[in-house]
Amino acid sequence: MLVEISTYQIGWAEAAIFGFLSLMLMTAGALLSTPRKADYLAQIEKIIRHNLEQSQQIIDNWKGNITRCHLFGYSTTSYPAVFAELLGFMYRQTGDETYVRAAVNLLLQYEEFKQIFPKEFYADRIEYAKGLPPISDFFSMSAYPHAYLYIKDSTEIEAADRATIEKGVKDCATFLLNYPEWGPMNRAILRAETFLYSYQSMPHHQNALKWKKIAEVLSRDSYQQWEEEDAASYHPVWLLSLMRYVHSIHDENFYRSAVPRFYFDYFSNLITPAGLIPDFGDAHWPTETTRWLAIFEKAAAVYKEPRYKWAAANFWNKERQSENLSAGLGLVLADAYQWSDETIEPEPIESKSRLVMEDVIGKKIVFRNGIDSDSTYLLVNYRNEGDGAFTPREFLRTTITAEEEKTHHGHSDENSIPCLFSGGSLLLHDAGYRDQLPSGEYGRYRADYFHNRLVVRKNKRWFQIQGETKQEQSILEFIRNSGAYRPVDTKLIDFFNFKQVDMSRSRLTDLELGYEWDRIVVYHKRDDFFMVIDGVKILHKDFFTFTNLWHTEKILYSNRKWYDTRIEKVGNYPASGNKNLLIYFPLTATTSERSNGTFELVRHNQPERSIFETVSSNYLPGHFEVFVTILFPHKPNADVSSIIKRFKLLKPEKYPQAVGLKYTTNSSTDYVGVKLDLEMDYHQENYRPRYAFDYGKVKYADFTTDGSFLFASCNAHTLYWACTNMVKLMYNKQVLHESRLNSFGLQPGKKPKPINGQAKWRYWEDESEIIST
């Protein structure tokens, strides 16, 4: 929870996570400056000089502005311990006792903090009944015992000071025993770090073996295991803390597992044109750079992987643009310094669309045409809570308030599009982190309606028409609720890289509410735009209202079916480059059943505009509903009306079980066909193949196919096409593809007789000469 992080109170996380706010987009794929160990050390020394000059003022500022922290009660600043830890690291590197004396003085500050901190702020908290630890915030508590671990062998520490610091170490560990929170997530492994460093710094203490054991217990769920969080803010917190833990116990066996390798691939392939991880789940934009730098240095060193080195260089170059001189950054640079392998030369990640990384754990899809700052990038997140970490998730749900979370720190964002970049512009962004504990008003900002996704509700909006006047209930009033998370199932149906388009199809199933929603995203590579087709299959008879939502900061121009949009900023982050985003609904008819419009909504702590297309009706099981959205990035001076004229909706005879689009330019005419009902091919008789072309064929203009997806591009003489999961494809009477007949002997029954049939091909793409008829 980011509010948890912000309680560092002049700690390092504010600078590390939020200090980047004023930076402009940078070229992520251009030639990057690869950091050397000397660069890291030089920056650490600069940070130490700065903090030696400013530390007393920072501490005095905290003393003069002590505020109540409802999360921790007693909550001192972590700054002295974090800076002491950095000084301890430098002592280990240089042997200079000056660092020890400065570190000791910082750690001793906590004795004064205990005296001046208002007792009424924590008097009602039972966990402080037996005394106060130096730091109560588990996010940064490990800095105290780790600082002492670095300097404990120095002979310059006076006996009385050593006794005071060792009591502080003991008090940290003792305090954490009140609530040793567990599970494969950030707060558990952070606690494990504190217990581990307490044991290592005082191995002969009477409770040392207990501290060691509890560290092992709390790290167990994360060690070579899948993380239970789906939140950009907490992934680096969890992963770096886990890697520090592994480093401290000298366990290189950790990296022999496929799990850490997966995460390094996963996060590196998520990097956006802004050079940052996208903001999904509990996260603010811009996301942090700091921890990723050390994470990828270690990953590159372990696996000798140039792409991880590129990721480290990317985050180093982002960090160098900031004015961050926090002690916390110094600690991350210390990790990077220790872990860096200078023999590895960076190599950029792939610049094409891909799954990230698969359809079980990551459940994300990135569309991209490059890795530079002006490249196009769109993210689809269809990650649900999933089957993993059941017991830890249940522990969280029954121990803390997390009703609005996709346990843990996730949002109701399945099948959403958290971000879209093009031309240096951030054109779509995610909802942001909740603005209060345990969650914001009406589920802010975790609830489904804060995201770029389809929102489903039972019943219909109230409206009445009297003559020329129509009164109706607002969309926001109708869809807004407490924001409680609804468990759903998600899966990948298809993903393809074709020559002219990339496409994905992901499915959300809500058995309790009674619908199945497929989101199909088609990326037109040549003209750099997206077609989003949302198909809904009804599972239960009921009255439903389906609302497709897209969020922006400014609507520049609009008409009945389209909105030209721009995001100038997200918080203090300048998001505008040289592109606007056209959002166009080619299907919309303004009727009592289907309409579109806008409403105001606060997202990411700023006023924004939400664009919707909505439809209400009484549906029967097996009915389909469909939405079509064009997302077209364009230069501000582009003629939007001319863009819109390129598109024509195709309604085949089997609509809404299938839908198509025609896109016409001076160079070609392109067609997209999407079969929403993937079971229309099946016949009732129980023999194999269970499907047949005549059952599943759909005619999209001049094309007829039983395929689940079709893209075709025609010019005067040639035809390019790509089709998936099909028996046959025809252009007018010209057969472009047809499966061969085969005898299928594996039939139901005791003595089955072989049946002749045609098997579907997974996919095919080709270019054909158009035959005149």
Side-chain angles (χ1 to χ4, degrees):
M1 295 180 287
L2 210 56
V3 164
E4 297 169 353
I5 294 179
S6 68
T7 57
Y8 278 10
Q9 302 185 47
I10 323 172
W12 68 275
E14 292 97 328
I17 296 179
F18 304 116
F20 187 72
L21 289 172
S22 62
L23 297 182
M24 297 292 288
L25 291 174
M26 169 196 138
T27 301
L31 183 62
L32 298 174
S33 171
T34 305
R36 321 304 286 182
K37 284 182 176 290
D39 297 321
Y40 290 135
L41 195 58
Q43 189 67 9
I44 292 169
E45 291 170 344
K46 180 179 179 181
I47 288 170
I48 287 176
R49 289 195 299 271
H50 170 79
N51 280 271
L52 286 172
E53 295 172 358
Q54 300 295 321
S55 60
Q56 194 56 53
Q57 181 180 340
I58 293 172
I59 292 169
D60 289 343
N61 286 342
W62 176 81
K63 290 179 181 178
N65 295 278
I66 298 175
T67 57
R68 182 187 292 269
C69 174
H70 293 285
L71 186 63
F72 296 108
Y74 177 74
S75 182
T76 57
T77 173
S78 63
Y79 173 76
V82 171
F83 187 26
E85 184 181 5
L86 181 60
L87 293 169
F89 165 78
M90 283 303 289
Y91 167 67
R92 282 287 184 93
Q93 301 304 309
T94 64
D96 187 345
E97 298 287 349
T98 304
Y99 294 118
V100 174
R101 288 189 289 273
V104 167
N105 290 335
L106 286 164
L107 296 177
L108 293 176
Q109 294 269 355
Y110 287 97
E111 299 310 303
E112 180 187 357
F113 295 169
K114 294 176 186 178
Q115 300 302 316
I116 66 174
F117 198 92
K119 292 182 173 56
E120 62 270 21
F121 286 6
Y122 61 88
D124 60 340
R125 303 293 287 264
I126 193 171
E127 59 265 35
Y128 302 114
K130 295 183 179 180
L132 298 173
I135 305 169
S136 61
D137 179 0
F138 48 79
F139 278 104
S140 50
M141 183 183 284
S142 65
Y144 192 97
H146 204 199
Y148 182 56
L149 177 61
Y150 275 134
I151 65 173
K152 74 185 190 85
D153 293 333
S154 170
T155 58
E156 293 293 310
I157 304 175
E158 295 182 4
D161 294 341
R162 185 181 296 276
T164 299
I165 294 170
E166 288 188 350
K167 181 179 182 301
V169 171
K170 184 263 296 181
D171 289 344
C172 285
T174 301
F175 174 76
L176 280 189
L177 287 171
N178 290 314
Y179 181 29
E181 194 177 24
W182 47 273
M185 52 99 173
N186 76 93
R187 298 194 303 273
I189 193 63
L190 288 165
R191 284 172 161 88
E193 268 198 282
T194 295
F195 283 117
L196 176 65
Y197 301 147
S198 298
Y199 160 72
Q200 290 178 333
S201 63
M202 298 170 59
H204 302 297
H205 189 276
Q206 61 181 1
N207 293 324
L209 292 180
K210 184 175 184 178
W211 301 338
K212 179 177 181 288
K213 183 65 177 179
I214 195 67
E216 293 168 352
V217 169
L218 297 184
S219 64
R220 175 186 177 275
D221 289 323
S222 291
Y223 186 89
Q224 297 180 342
Q225 300 295 318
W226 303 118
E227 184 189 12
E228 68 181 354
E229 295 166 304
D230 188 43
S233 284
Y234 290 104
H235 290 314
V237 177
W238 170 76
L239 188 52
L240 182 58
S241 180
L242 177 58
M243 293 166 68
R244 284 171 168 170
Y245 182 95
V246 167
H247 174 77
S248 296
I249 62 175
H250 309 290
D251 179 13
E252 291 301 318
N253 186 60
F254 170 77
Y255 296 100
R256 294 190 176 102
S257 165
V259 173
R261 183 74 192 252
F262 165 87
Y263 280 117
F264 299 138
D265 285 338
Y266 174 66
F267 293 122
S268 61
N269 280 287
L270 283 175
I271 294 174
T272 68
L276 304 170
I277 302 297
D279 56 328
F280 53 87
D282 279 349
H284 285 289
W285 183 261
T287 54
E288 74 157 282
T289 60
T290 309
R291 291 179 178 90
W292 292 117
L293 172 55
I295 287 168
F296 282 112
E297 281 288 16
K298 181 64 175 181
V302 170
Y303 298 110
K304 309 302 179 186
E305 174 53 69
R307 293 181 181 182
Y308 301 159
K309 194 70 170 181
W310 174 87
N314 166 72
F315 288 112
W316 165 252
N317 281 265
K318 300 301 291 184
E319 194 60 58
R320 285 202 310 166
Q321 295 178 77
S322 74
E323 297 178 358
N324 183 4
L325 293 174
S326 70
L329 171 60
L331 289 178
V332 174
L333 296 179
D335 292 327
Y337 171 79
Q338 295 177 90
W339 296 342
S340 173
D341 183 342
E342 296 181 338
T343 66
I344 302 169
E345 293 300 322
E347 176 184 312
I349 58 173
E350 285 187 310
S351 58
K352 68 176 185 178
S353 304
R354 63 167 299 154
L355 298 177
V356 184
M357 290 295 297
E358 36 51 71
D359 61 349
V360 178
I361 303 300
K363 287 193 169 184
K364 292 178 178 60
I365 305 162
V366 165
F367 294 87
R368 67 162 89 229
N369 64 2
I371 53 175
D372 294 331
S373 63
D374 60 350
S375 298
T376 295
Y377 175 109
L378 181 144
L379 175 67
V380 177
N381 183 12
Y382 65 102
R383 167 76 185 270
N384 64 329
E385 200 167 77
D387 297 326
F390 172 80
T391 301
R393 290 184 200 272
E394 192 67 9
F395 164 72
L396 278 175
R397 282 188 284 260
T398 56
T399 305
I400 66 173
T401 301
E403 276 81 3
E404 294 82 9
E405 299 181 44
K406 177 172 63 183
T407 313
H408 190 37
H409 284 302
H411 290 189
S412 298
D413 57 359
E414 294 91 347
N415 252 359
S416 72
I417 296 178
C419 67
L420 168 59
F421 291 85
S422 188
S425 296
L426 178 56
L427 300 173
L428 293 172
H429 76 92
D430 209 24
Y433 203 169
R434 53 106 174 95
D435 56 352
Q436 55 185 281
L437 284 167
S439 198
E441 187 179 61
Y442 299 108
R444 196 167 58 213
Y445 301 105
R446 292 164 168 159
D448 53 5
Y449 63 92
F450 288 102
H451 298 86
N452 298 307
R453 58 161 291 175
L454 187 75
V455 172
V456 181
R457 299 288 186 265
K458 291 286 186 75
N459 303 315
K460 65 180 291 186
R461 285 193 300 152
W462 174 86
F463 75 90
Q464 67 177 11
I465 299 175
Q466 294 181 340
E468 299 295 321
T469 304
K470 179 179 180 181
Q471 295 178 305
E472 61 183 349
Q473 181 184 15
S474 74
I475 281 287
L476 180 58
E477 180 186 3
F478 180 78
I479 64 176
R480 188 171 63 180
N481 54 28
S482 70
Y485 177 73
R486 295 181 51 79
V488 296
D489 180 61
T490 62
K491 59 173 63 73
L492 180 72
I493 305 300
D494 270 329
F495 175 78
F496 293 99
N497 295 112
F498 292 123
K499 180 180 178 182
Q500 294 194 21
V501 295
D502 298 326
M503 72 81 64
S504 71
R505 182 170 186 155
S506 48
R507 174 174 295 171
L508 179 154
T509 303
D510 189 332
L511 293 176
E512 183 179 348
L513 205 55
Y515 72 97
E516 191 173 80
W517 162 39
D518 284 11
R519 168 156 279 185
I520 299 96
V521 178
V522 183
Y523 176 37
H524 193 288
K525 298 180 184 180
R526 183 193 67 206
D527 290 356
D528 198 27
F529 69 90
F530 297 88
M531 294 164 274
V532 182
I533 296 97
D534 293 296
V536 184
K537 180 180 179 180
I538 310 305
L539 304 179
H540 301 164
K541 178 183 177 181
D542 215 323
F543 211 110
F544 288 90
T545 294
F546 301 103
T547 305
N548 203 18
L549 291 172
W550 304 95
H551 304 281
T552 188
E553 186 191 10
K554 293 184 177 181
I555 298 175
L556 305 175
Y557 309 99
S558 65
N559 205 326
R560 188 169 61 88
K561 298 171 68 171
W562 60 264
Y563 303 84
D564 200 28
T565 68
R566 186 172 181 84
I567 298 174
E568 296 286 350
K569 62 180 179 60
V570 179
N572 293 323
Y573 181 90
S576 59
N578 60 8
K579 292 285 184 73
N580 295 344
L581 178 65
L582 170 65
I583 300 175
Y584 171 43
F585 302 133
L587 184 62
T588 298
T590 305
T591 67
S592 59
E593 290 80 23
R594 182 184 289 268
S595 61
N596 68 77
T598 68
F599 59 87
E600 295 180 353
L601 184 68
V602 175
R603 297 172 73 244
H604 212 287
N605 301 315
Q606 66 182 29
E608 296 197 344
R609 299 291 299 279
S610 299
I611 300 166
F612 68 86
E613 182 182 14
T614 188
V615 62
S616 299
S617 189
N618 194 356
Y619 298 88
L620 298 176
H623 280 183
F624 279 81
E625 193 55 82
V626 61
F627 296 85
V628 179
T629 308
I630 307 299
L631 303 176
F632 204 114
H634 65 87
K635 292 185 177 179
N637 60 357
D639 182 359
V640 172
S641 62
S642 67
I643 296 174
I644 291 170
K645 290 176 182 177
R646 302 176 196 174
F647 294 93
K648 180 183 178 181
L649 187 76
L650 301 177
K651 285 189 174 182
E653 290 183 2
K654 294 184 177 179
Y655 177 86
Q657 292 170 280
V659 70
L661 280 166
K662 180 180 178 181
Y663 174 69
T664 305
T665 65
N666 293 332
S667 60
S668 68
T669 300
D670 300 345
Y671 299 85
V672 171
V674 176
K675 182 185 289 184
L676 300 176
D677 182 1
L678 296 179
E679 296 178 348
M680 73 165 67
D681 309 53
Y682 301 163
H683 47 70
Q684 185 172 340
E685 295 82 359
N686 187 26
Y687 61 83
R688 303 297 185 270
R690 190 70 185 258
Y691 49 82
F693 171 75
D694 286 338
Y695 283 91
K697 65 182 179 182
V698 179
K699 183 174 174 57
Y700 306 99
D702 297 329
F703 295 86
T704 303
T705 183
D706 62 327
S708 58
F709 172 76
L710 167 69
F711 177 82
S713 182
C714 307
N715 57 34
H717 304 291
T718 60
L719 167 64
Y720 163 83
W721 59 270
C723 197
T724 70
N725 199 22
M726 74 291 190
V727 168
K728 190 174 182 179
L729 170 64
M730 299 178 65
Y731 174 67
N732 293 320
K733 295 183 180 180
Q734 181 179 348
V735 177
L736 301 176
H737 167 85
E738 184 171 12
S739 303
R740 295 183 180 185
L741 283 168
N742 186 64
S743 295
F744 291 85
L746 295 176
Q747 299 293 336
K750 294 182 179 179
K751 295 182 180 180
K753 185 177 181 180
I755 293 177
N756 296 335
Q758 295 169 290
K760 290 188 176 188
W761 282 38
R762 183 67 178 102
Y763 71 92
W764 200 252
E765 64 178 325
D766 206 348
E767 292 188 10
S768 305
E769 184 177 345
I770 296 177
I771 300 174
S772 300
T773 57

